[in-house]
PDB file of all heavy atoms in Angstrom:
ATOM      1  N   ARG A  89       5.426  79.643 -47.131  1.00  0.00           N
ATOM      2  CA  ARG A  89       6.806  79.308 -47.490  1.00  0.00           C
ATOM      3  C   ARG A  89       7.339  78.299 -46.476  1.00  0.00           C
ATOM      4  O   ARG A  89       6.746  78.146 -45.396  1.00  0.00           O
ATOM      5  CB  ARG A  89       7.671  80.566 -47.520  1.00  0.00           C
ATOM      6  CG  ARG A  89       7.710  81.334 -46.208  1.00  0.00           C
ATOM      7  CD  ARG A  89       8.450  82.637 -46.350  1.00  0.00           C
ATOM      8  NE  ARG A  89       7.669  83.620 -47.077  1.00  0.00           N
ATOM      9  CZ  ARG A  89       6.693  84.367 -46.536  1.00  0.00           C
ATOM     10  NH1 ARG A  89       6.391  84.225 -45.268  1.00  0.00           N
ATOM     11  NH2 ARG A  89       6.038  85.255 -47.240  1.00  0.00           N
ATOM     12  N   PRO A  90       8.452  77.632 -46.818  1.00  0.00           N
ATOM     13  CA  PRO A  90       8.977  76.612 -45.907  1.00  0.00           C
ATOM     14  C   PRO A  90       9.204  77.132 -44.488  1.00  0.00           C
ATOM     15  O   PRO A  90       9.037  76.407 -43.520  1.00  0.00           O
ATOM     16  CB  PRO A  90      10.298  76.208 -46.553  1.00  0.00           C
ATOM     17  CG  PRO A  90      10.125  76.505 -47.992  1.00  0.00           C
ATOM     18  CD  PRO A  90       9.225  77.693 -48.063  1.00  0.00           C
ATOM     19  N   LYS A  91       9.576  78.423 -44.385  1.00  0.00           N
ATOM     20  CA  LYS A  91       9.855  78.967 -43.065  1.00  0.00           C
ATOM     21  C   LYS A  91       8.627  78.961 -42.156  1.00  0.00           C
ATOM     22  O   LYS A  91       8.740  78.741 -40.955  1.00  0.00           O
ATOM     23  CB  LYS A  91      10.411  80.393 -43.197  1.00  0.00           C
ATOM     24  CG  LYS A  91      11.205  80.818 -41.988  1.00  0.00           C
ATOM     25  CD  LYS A  91      11.918  82.117 -42.194  1.00  0.00           C
ATOM     26  CE  LYS A  91      12.720  82.478 -40.941  1.00  0.00           C
ATOM     27  NZ  LYS A  91      11.920  82.416 -39.690  1.00  0.00           N
ATOM     28  N   ASP A  92       7.454  79.178 -42.744  1.00  0.00           N
ATOM     29  CA  ASP A  92       6.225  79.171 -41.953  1.00  0.00           C
ATOM     30  C   ASP A  92       6.030  77.814 -41.282  1.00  0.00           C
ATOM     31  O   ASP A  92       5.674  77.730 -40.111  1.00  0.00           O
ATOM     32  CB  ASP A  92       5.006  79.466 -42.838  1.00  0.00           C
ATOM     33  CG  ASP A  92       5.033  80.884 -43.378  1.00  0.00           C
ATOM     34  OD1 ASP A  92       5.824  81.685 -42.854  1.00  0.00           O
ATOM     35  OD2 ASP A  92       4.278  81.169 -44.324  1.00  0.00           O
ATOM     36  N   ALA A  93       6.261  76.755 -42.084  1.00  0.00           N
ATOM     37  CA  ALA A  93       6.114  75.407 -41.535  1.00  0.00           C
ATOM     38  C   ALA A  93       7.176  75.159 -40.473  1.00  0.00           C
ATOM     39  O   ALA A  93       6.900  74.588 -39.418  1.00  0.00           O
ATOM     40  CB  ALA A  93       6.214  74.379 -42.651  1.00  0.00           C
ATOM     41  N   ALA A  94       8.403  75.618 -40.741  1.00  0.00           N
ATOM     42  CA  ALA A  94       9.497  75.421 -39.793  1.00  0.00           C
ATOM     43  C   ALA A  94       9.202  76.147 -38.483  1.00  0.00           C
ATOM     44  O   ALA A  94       9.451  75.614 -37.398  1.00  0.00           O
ATOM     45  CB  ALA A  94      10.805  75.911 -40.402  1.00  0.00           C
ATOM     46  N   ASP A  95       8.659  77.360 -38.574  1.00  0.00           N
ATOM     47  CA  ASP A  95       8.334  78.124 -37.367  1.00  0.00           C
ATOM     48  C   ASP A  95       7.276  77.416 -36.536  1.00  0.00           C
ATOM     49  O   ASP A  95       7.222  77.569 -35.314  1.00  0.00           O
ATOM     50  CB  ASP A  95       7.834  79.526 -37.752  1.00  0.00           C
ATOM     51  CG  ASP A  95       8.963  80.391 -38.286  1.00  0.00           C
ATOM     52  OD1 ASP A  95      10.128  79.987 -38.095  1.00  0.00           O
ATOM     53  OD2 ASP A  95       8.688  81.433 -38.899  1.00  0.00           O
ATOM     54  N   ARG A  96       6.415  76.672 -37.193  1.00  0.00           N
ATOM     55  CA  ARG A  96       5.379  75.923 -36.496  1.00  0.00           C
ATOM     56  C   ARG A  96       5.920  74.614 -35.908  1.00  0.00           C
ATOM     57  O   ARG A  96       5.191  73.880 -35.256  1.00  0.00           O
ATOM     58  CB  ARG A  96       4.251  75.583 -37.477  1.00  0.00           C
ATOM     59  CG  ARG A  96       3.305  76.742 -37.701  1.00  0.00           C
ATOM     60  CD  ARG A  96       2.434  76.896 -36.479  1.00  0.00           C
ATOM     61  NE  ARG A  96       1.326  77.806 -36.722  1.00  0.00           N
ATOM     62  CZ  ARG A  96       0.177  77.705 -36.052  1.00  0.00           C
ATOM     63  NH1 ARG A  96       0.010  76.769 -35.162  1.00  0.00           N
ATOM     64  NH2 ARG A  96      -0.784  78.561 -36.279  1.00  0.00           N
ATOM     65  N   GLY A  97       7.185  74.308 -36.199  1.00  0.00           N
ATOM     66  CA  GLY A  97       7.781  73.109 -35.622  1.00  0.00           C
ATOM     67  C   GLY A  97       7.732  71.897 -36.535  1.00  0.00           C
ATOM     68  O   GLY A  97       7.824  70.769 -36.071  1.00  0.00           O
ATOM     69  N   ILE A  98       7.571  72.126 -37.837  1.00  0.00           N
ATOM     70  CA  ILE A  98       7.623  70.999 -38.774  1.00  0.00           C
ATOM     71  C   ILE A  98       9.027  70.953 -39.365  1.00  0.00           C
ATOM     72  O   ILE A  98       9.484  71.925 -39.973  1.00  0.00           O
ATOM     73  CB  ILE A  98       6.578  71.159 -39.895  1.00  0.00           C
ATOM     74  CG1 ILE A  98       5.179  71.142 -39.283  1.00  0.00           C
ATOM     75  CG2 ILE A  98       6.734  70.047 -40.933  1.00  0.00           C
ATOM     76  CD1 ILE A  98       4.062  71.264 -40.276  1.00  0.00           C
ATOM     77  N   ALA A  99       9.727  69.852 -39.156  1.00  0.00           N
ATOM     78  CA  ALA A  99      11.100  69.752 -39.648  1.00  0.00           C
ATOM     79  C   ALA A  99      11.199  68.568 -40.601  1.00  0.00           C
ATOM     80  O   ALA A  99      10.681  67.492 -40.327  1.00  0.00           O
ATOM     81  CB  ALA A  99      12.057  69.558 -38.487  1.00  0.00           C
ATOM     82  N   THR A 100      11.849  68.789 -41.737  1.00  0.00           N
ATOM     83  CA  THR A 100      12.027  67.719 -42.704  1.00  0.00           C
ATOM     84  C   THR A 100      13.488  67.300 -42.726  1.00  0.00           C
ATOM     85  O   THR A 100      14.374  68.148 -42.778  1.00  0.00           O
ATOM     86  CB  THR A 100      11.619  68.192 -44.114  1.00  0.00           C
ATOM     87  OG1 THR A 100      10.375  68.869 -44.022  1.00  0.00           O
ATOM     88  CG2 THR A 100      11.493  67.021 -45.065  1.00  0.00           C
ATOM     89  N   VAL A 101      13.721  66.009 -42.670  1.00  0.00           N
ATOM     90  CA  VAL A 101      15.082  65.495 -42.805  1.00  0.00           C
ATOM     91  C   VAL A 101      15.128  64.660 -44.077  1.00  0.00           C
ATOM     92  O   VAL A 101      14.333  63.744 -44.259  1.00  0.00           O
ATOM     93  CB  VAL A 101      15.473  64.633 -41.584  1.00  0.00           C
ATOM     94  CG1 VAL A 101      16.818  63.980 -41.809  1.00  0.00           C
ATOM     95  CG2 VAL A 101      15.503  65.480 -40.335  1.00  0.00           C
ATOM     96  N   HIS A 102      16.043  65.015 -44.965  1.00  0.00           N
ATOM     97  CA  HIS A 102      16.067  64.362 -46.271  1.00  0.00           C
ATOM     98  C   HIS A 102      16.964  63.140 -46.278  1.00  0.00           C
ATOM     99  O   HIS A 102      17.706  62.892 -45.333  1.00  0.00           O
ATOM    100  CB  HIS A 102      16.472  65.365 -47.351  1.00  0.00           C
ATOM    101  CG  HIS A 102      15.456  66.455 -47.494  1.00  0.00           C
ATOM    102  ND1 HIS A 102      14.286  66.257 -48.147  1.00  0.00           N
ATOM    103  CD2 HIS A 102      15.432  67.717 -47.018  1.00  0.00           C
ATOM    104  CE1 HIS A 102      13.567  67.369 -48.078  1.00  0.00           C
ATOM    105  NE2 HIS A 102      14.234  68.274 -47.394  1.00  0.00           N
TER     106      HIS A 102
END
Side-chain angles (χ1 to χ4, degrees):
Chain A
R89 58 186 74 81
K91 202 171 181 309
D92 293 346
D95 289 346
R96 280 286 192 153
I98 297 181
T100 314
V101 173
H102 295 283

